[in-house]
Amino acid sequence: MVSYKELGLVNSREIFRKAFEGKYAIPAFNFNNMEQMQAIVQACVEKKSPVILQVSSGARKYANQTLLRYMAQGAVEYAKELGYNIPIVLHLDHGDSFELCKSCIEMGFSSVMIDGSHHSYEKNIELTRQVVEYAHKYDVTVEGELGVLAGIEDDVVAEHHTYTEPGQVEDFVSKTGVDSLAISIGTSHGANKFKPEQCTRNAEGILVPPPLRFDILEEIEKRIPGFSIVLHGASSVPQDQVALINKYGGALKDAIGIPEEQLRRAAASAVCKINIDSDGRLAMTAAVREIFATQPAEFDPRKYLGPARDNLKKLYMHKVESVLGSAGKA
Ligand code: G3H
Ligand code: 13P
Ligand code: ZN
């Protein structure tokens, strides 16, 4: 058993409280490899933002849980070396079982998500409470989920949204003891969040998706005042990155994300954590494709992963500065 405290990590309690009071959101960026981790730490140190390093079960399978643990520990030391000791949380994204959450806690995670949203309400409560009871013994914070996002969640595929039912949140939070709650208000995972036919065109001809259900969010805020809310599926799918990918041989069709102003509005509300993965994938892919297409003789991985890392860092700096509002809050 390794305590996250020995690794220099923090849980999410204090940073969420400050984010709530300060009307901004903490970035939760997914990582699977060294370049992503470097870009996240460099960007957040430079912008003095707290950060959540997020690991999905797929990432754990891909990168090896032990290596990821040491990378997170390395991230803390790396941040100090870069000159600023920002709060860093190591969080399990979309944990689907008690055993997985327990194993991550034993490996040094400071926060876990137990996603029981695809179970019945009663089973979700039971599973979430079991994780909370274990996690709280070690001062590890727990995120639960109510409502189902459309799209792909790790191994779980949902066809349609089931928006969070505001009438359930108070009961769920009090029965489970969770520290934060992920809700479904119209976001979804991946780069194809909306079909073009769901969107309207603005004066510049750009597709504008239907707005998030802020009415549901407000209703939830009324029922559990002061409670930390989490927004998954919050990538904006930057169209310049999509265009670069497609220019250099990619085939992304109808890639549409959540407009940044919607996320700014969410960050100023009870939403304390905003999850972003797909935008990072797009930024890396765009940079790698550009190098492959324009410098076909290049075969040193540093020559394409380096620019990919730089492009990622630029994206993350923009997110914390101009979308989440967490810059300068570390
Ligand atoms: O919510 C899902 C995250 O984007 C993680 O994706 O399961 O492919 O690592 P992944
Ligand atoms: P995106 O696919 O919109 O980046 O969402 C990521 C996420 O919610 C991770 O849990
Ligand atoms: Zn998610």
Side-chain angles (χ1 to χ4, degrees):
M1 172 91 199
V2 191
S3 166
Y4 69 86
K5 293 178 185 173
E6 289 163 32
L7 310 183
L9 298 161
V10 298
N11 68 23
S12 62
R13 197 166 294 126
E14 189 63 9
I15 58 171
F16 281 180
R17 190 188 57 76
K18 289 185 179 159
F20 184 89
E21 284 167 8
K23 297 191 183 301
Y24 59 92
I26 309 292
F29 296 133
N30 289 69
F31 85 109
N32 302 263
N33 64 30
M34 184 187 75
E35 282 77 10
Q36 290 171 325
M37 194 274 270
Q38 289 173 317
I40 296 169
V41 175
Q42 289 172 9
C44 292
V45 165
E46 216 161 300
K47 289 288 170 190
K48 293 191 167 57
S49 169
V51 70
I52 298 171
L53 288 174
Q54 196 156 259
V55 174
S56 69
S57 59
R60 212 163 163 259
K61 280 185 216 138
Y62 174 80
N64 177 277
Q65 55 164 340
T66 309
L67 279 177
L68 285 174
R69 200 303 286 298
Y70 282 104
M71 281 168 77
Q73 187 175 359
V76 174
E77 298 308 317
Y78 183 43
K80 286 186 209 159
E81 196 180 307
L82 291 174
Y84 206 76
N85 192 8
I86 54 170
I88 299 179
V89 175
L90 178 60
H91 176 79
L92 169 68
D93 192 23
H94 294 287
D96 60 356
S97 68
F98 171 75
E99 290 71 27
L100 176 60
C101 293
K102 180 171 180 280
S103 165
C104 285
I105 292 166
E106 287 168 353
M107 284 299 279
F109 280 59
S110 58
S111 175
V112 292
M113 173 187 195
I114 176 69
D115 180 358
S117 62
H118 44 280
H119 292 300
S120 69
Y121 180 65
E122 290 72 26
K123 177 86 204 295
N124 190 359
I125 290 182
E126 188 190 318
L127 181 60
T128 306
R129 188 172 51 204
Q130 190 190 10
V131 171
V132 169
E133 276 169 12
Y134 183 80
H136 281 183
K137 280 191 223 159
Y138 302 98
D139 203 18
V140 167
T141 38
V142 181
E143 175 184 328
E145 179 167 336
L146 261 185
V148 182
L149 275 66
I152 302 154
E153 281 194 354
D154 236 348
D155 300 329
V156 188
V157 181
E159 271 289 304
H160 305 286
H161 303 283
T162 309
Y163 295 122
T164 304
E165 170 55 62
Q168 290 181 333
V169 292
E170 207 180 336
D171 185 59
F172 185 83
V173 163
S174 71
K175 284 190 176 147
T176 58
V178 277
D179 302 282
S180 60
L181 183 67
I183 59 164
S184 173
I185 54 166
T187 62
S188 61
H189 292 101
N192 295 82
K193 300 190 189 298
F194 303 96
K195 297 202 168 65
E197 52 272 26
Q198 291 175 276
C199 305
T200 50
R201 278 191 195 278
N202 69 11
E204 291 93 54
I206 295 165
L207 287 173
V208 180
L212 298 181
R213 292 291 304 270
F214 283 100
D215 56 322
I216 297 178
L217 174 60
E218 279 159 24
E219 198 51 48
I220 292 169
E221 288 180 288
K222 270 189 223 151
R223 312 268 180 140
I224 43 173
F227 198 78
S228 306
I229 302 296
V230 177
L231 203 58
H232 282 247
S235 276
S236 292
V237 188
Q239 293 302 303
D240 56 340
Q241 302 302 303
V242 173
L244 270 178
I245 290 172
N246 287 339
K247 176 176 172 189
Y248 293 116
L252 291 180
K253 205 173 169 292
D254 299 337
I256 304 168
I258 311 295
E260 290 185 345
E261 59 276 13
Q262 299 264 306
L263 297 170
R264 275 185 214 109
R265 183 172 165 193
S269 75
V271 170
C272 293
K273 172 176 181 267
I274 291 193
N275 284 12
I276 296 167
D277 187 2
S278 298
D279 284 355
R281 296 178 181 195
L282 293 168
M284 272 198 107
T285 303
V288 170
R289 276 197 175 276
E290 181 168 8
I291 304 284
F292 281 179
T294 57
Q295 301 172 45
E298 192 52 74
F299 69 98
D300 177 346
R302 293 170 298 187
K303 297 287 165 52
Y304 50 87
L305 293 178
R309 183 176 63 193
D310 295 343
N311 202 32
L312 256 185
K313 179 183 173 187
K314 207 170 108 198
L315 170 92
Y316 292 142
M317 287 180 35
H318 168 72
K319 295 282 178 191
V320 300
E321 178 82 55
S322 309
V323 186
L324 281 76
S326 63
K329 308 292 186 186

